[in-house]
Amino acid sequence: MTQLTFAPPPPNTEATETLRAEVRAFLDVELAHMTPRQRAQSWSGRDPAFSKKMAERGWLGMTWPKKYGGHERSALERYVVLEEMLAAGAPVGAHWIADRQSAPSILRFGTEEQKQFFVPKIARGDLFFCIGMSEPDSGSDLAATRTRATAVEGGFKVNGTKVWTSGAHVAHYMILFCRTDAKSDDRHGGVSQFIVDMKTPGIKISPIYDLSHEHHFNEVVFEDMFLPTSALLGNQGDGWKQVTGELAYERSGPDRFLSTFTLLIEGFAMLGENVDDRAKIALGRIVAHLMTLRRMSRSIAGMLQRGEDPAVHAAIVKELGTSLEQEMVEVLRLIVDAEPDGGADNPYVAVLAHTIMHAPSFSLRGGTREILRGMIARGLGLR
Amino acid sequence: MSETTDLIRDMAEKLFGDACEKSVLAAAENGQFQTGLWQEITDAGLAGALLPESAGGSDLAIEDALAALRISASRAAPVPLAETMLAGWLASSSLAVPEGPLTIAPASNGAPLTLKKSTSGWRLDGVAKRVPFARNAAAILVLAEADGANMVARVDPKICALTHGRNLAMEPRDDVTFACDLGAGDVAPASNHVNAETLRAFGAAMRANQIAGALSRALEITLQYANERVQFGKPIAKFQAIQHNLAMLAAHSAAANAAADMAAEAAANDMNLLPIAAAKARCGEAASVGAGIAHQTHGAIGFTREHMLHYFTKRLWSWRDEFGKESDWSLIIGRAAAKAGPKKLWSDIVTA
Ligand SMILES: Cc1cc2nc3c(=O)[nH]c(=O)nc-3n(C[C@H](O)[C@H](O)[C@H](O)COP(=O)(O)OP(=O)(O)OC[C@H]3O[C@@H](n4cnc5c(N)ncnc54)[C@H](O)[C@@H]3O)c2cc1C
């Protein structure tokens, strides 16, 4: 059958549940001061000091080789830490990208020197990364990238513009996706990835404020920026293959269905003990979806552990997960009698406002809904 | 996955794949019980899947039994396999069951049946609504309380009054009126783990697995059709709008199958209620969305009696309601969550 099935996830072990208890005890202390409104930021909320504390516990770089500062734990143990962080609304944003995709890419494609230089620092919570993929004229159509790295003596000279670069203003490095060679018949050829120090001369970072007036993403302009050859990640011209691998990491985790969990908790708390049956049905349905998604997502952790390629499975989880996140807002709106107000003291009302205004991005960032459906269709052999 | 599991799956794929031809499905819709198919199922040891070996059963692991059931549903096998498995689980080693298809009562909500000691044995009264395949069953295994204890009674449907009914797939769903005197040996105490709640939960776990099977097949049929049907000079599968719909059908089918796995594990794990509740609610929703996309993709041909699709979509539309629809199970989850309070929501999701 042409089916996309999710194998049973690896079972919980004593190790995973001991770890879970440790993480919860840690979060009870470390998040005590955070308001629901702050927790609602989920993995967009950043606190480098918190990232450092996680690193000290060994909760960054959990699955990487010890040789590079990792902890050689299982994909499922890493999953436990991620989901506990997200469910609690921990401010994991500073290290999120570096831990989720940058270091794994460096470990897969980097030189020995790059691995030794970057990976241990990321595992220590000392280096944060951003993603330089999107451009003004290249969004979903990533292969249309115009930023160009031209070979010069000793390296490359880069010109072009990236946009929507989350955290570019606070990250230490970017993994840059750009064109290195002329367009060929293969539209996916001639592109490469570089590891870029954000302090390199020739980079100009300007804020782009989102509709909540918040500053998360940026425009990043490169003007004759010089990169040494040693900044190349992987092989020149292999950028497309590499970036698709990176995107699978970006899409497969619990961050794609737990980023609105604070809203669910606060809505529930607001209803109080006398929740009527209609509300219980609505909440129960959301929980049923979450339990199923969690199983599917843990199944992907098993695939990663076995070295399988989860790209299509990840697309399914992200598409179902972000749809649920967006729907959750609508469901809660209808069963809780309150109007959203970002400045309100009432935690639910403030979290609702936050979530409504961020919900559109869930099905854009990390690949749009339409692109993901296209990937699933390809997995079904339709394209 | 164990070797036995693989063997059972392969055997079931072959058995149901060969046996459930269109003529068989059509004849069943016309009200003919499929004795030939049932004999094959019995010979393969699937009818007695959940009966202990001492009672002549094959004592399969619950997960294996549900895997075979899911495969039977992926061929729309028009027989009471789920019900016979449930009856075997109810009877266990305490009551002998006759050869032939079996069913259980109650299968849906309603006034409880009353079971009382009588001078000659037992007296059973009451009405059980929409009992699957009651008219075809060699025995109905009835769960009822007597003096606060859960008892299982074995009843011959011939001594009951049946009002025939059918679900959308034309599977018998009969109202059974019990006014029966039963012998002392027809009633036995239920096993420890058997009660009204676990019976309903197990029924829901079965329907969740059946939905997963039928939805997988609906996806398969729909993919094939979309690749073959040509409009505007190309297969409709080449249109992006169609591709996106099929992607969602596949996503819901994948979710239903994951949820059905979750239900099977939970059923094997002491009939753990919350995962089964979540699975039935999730599968029910997948059935609705999935059946809709399958029909939309087929155009008018899928709306005909001739086409195979309806054997699956009508089962999806029926099974989503049976043993509790999405709102029933969501309510159970919501109640548990409300009782525990918002602070415990996450840990309950993880522990469930
Ligand atoms: C909050 C947020 C943070 C982000 N952070 C980063 C970041 O850190 N780094 C980074 O590189 N990017 C980032 N992005 C950008 C994100 O990856 C892009 O928004 C996304 O890839 C879509 O590109 P676009 O916005 O240019 O939309 P477009 O590609 O122009 O799409 C517009 C619409 O057309 C649809 N569409 C496009 N192509 C097709 C097609 N072939 N078939 C059908 N429909 C199609 C899209 O689905 C969408 O609905 C971020 C975006 C957001 C919202």
Side-chain angles (χ1 to χ4, degrees), chain A residues 132-187:
Chain A
M133 295 190 198
S134 307
E135 298 182 10
D137 293 323
S138 163
S140 301
D141 186 7
L142 204 50
T145 179
R146 283 196 191 165
T147 299
R148 174 177 284 278
T150 319
V152 293
E153 175 81 37
F156 296 85
K157 187 167 277 181
V158 182
N159 282 287
T161 301
K162 292 289 169 185
V163 280
W164 325 128
T165 321
S166 301
H169 55 306
V170 278
H172 304 99
Y173 285 85
M174 167 192 278
I175 293 191
L176 168 69
F177 175 81
C178 67
R179 184 154 293 288
T180 38
D181 303 275
K183 276 195 185 166
S184 58
D185 289 346
D186 173 13
R187 27 187 336 264

Side-chain angles (χ1 to χ4, degrees), chain A residues 44 97 130-142 162-168 175 210 216-217 247 250-251 358 360-372 383, chain B residues 240 244:
Chain A
S44 299
I97 288 167
C130 61
I131 307 166
M133 295 190 198
S134 307
E135 298 182 10
D137 293 323
S138 163
S140 301
D141 186 7
L142 204 50
K162 292 289 169 185
V163 280
W164 325 128
T165 321
S166 301
I175 293 191
D210 66 21
H216 294 288
F217 51 31
L247 283 166
E250 183 170 348
R251 289 170 181 151
H358 287 80
S361 70
F362 302 162
S363 50
L364 297 172
R365 61 184 182 186
T368 70
R369 165 161 298 142
E370 290 73 20
I371 295 305
L372 295 174
R383 309 177 46 204
Chain B
Q240 194 187 49
H244 285 195

Side-chain angles (χ1 to χ4, degrees), chain A residues 1-4 20 24 83-84 87 265 268 277 280-281 284-285 289 291-292 295 370 373 382-383, chain B residues 216-217 219-220 238 243-244 246-248 254-255 258 261 265 282 285 330 334-335 337-338 346-347 350:
Chain A
M1 279 208 205
T2 333
Q3 302 277 339
L4 302 164
R20 191 184 301 284
R24 286 185 183 173
E83 68 174 357
E84 290 297 329
I265 295 178
F268 206 175
D277 278 359
K280 281 182 195 146
I281 290 171
R285 172 176 168 265
H289 274 269
M291 285 173 65
T292 308
R295 184 179 173 94
E370 290 73 20
R373 288 185 182 181
L382 301 175
R383 309 177 46 204
Chain B
S216 296
R217 181 65 54 192
L219 167 62
E220 201 65 29
K238 295 294 162 206
Q243 290 176 351
H244 285 195
L246 294 178
M248 288 324 287
D261 288 344
E265 273 173 28
R282 184 64 187 87
E285 200 171 318
S330 295
R335 276 195 187 133
W346 174 248
S347 61
V350 169

Side-chain angles (χ1 to χ4, degrees), chain A residues 61 64-72 106-107 110-124:
Chain A
W64 311 338
K66 288 197 170 140
K67 185 172 154 199
Y68 303 113
H71 304 281
E72 297 185 5
I106 294 171
L107 281 168
T111 60
E112 189 53 41
E113 207 185 337
Q114 288 170 333
K115 290 188 215 176
Q116 284 184 12
F117 180 81
F118 290 107
V119 180
K121 293 190 182 71
I122 294 175
R124 284 202 304 269

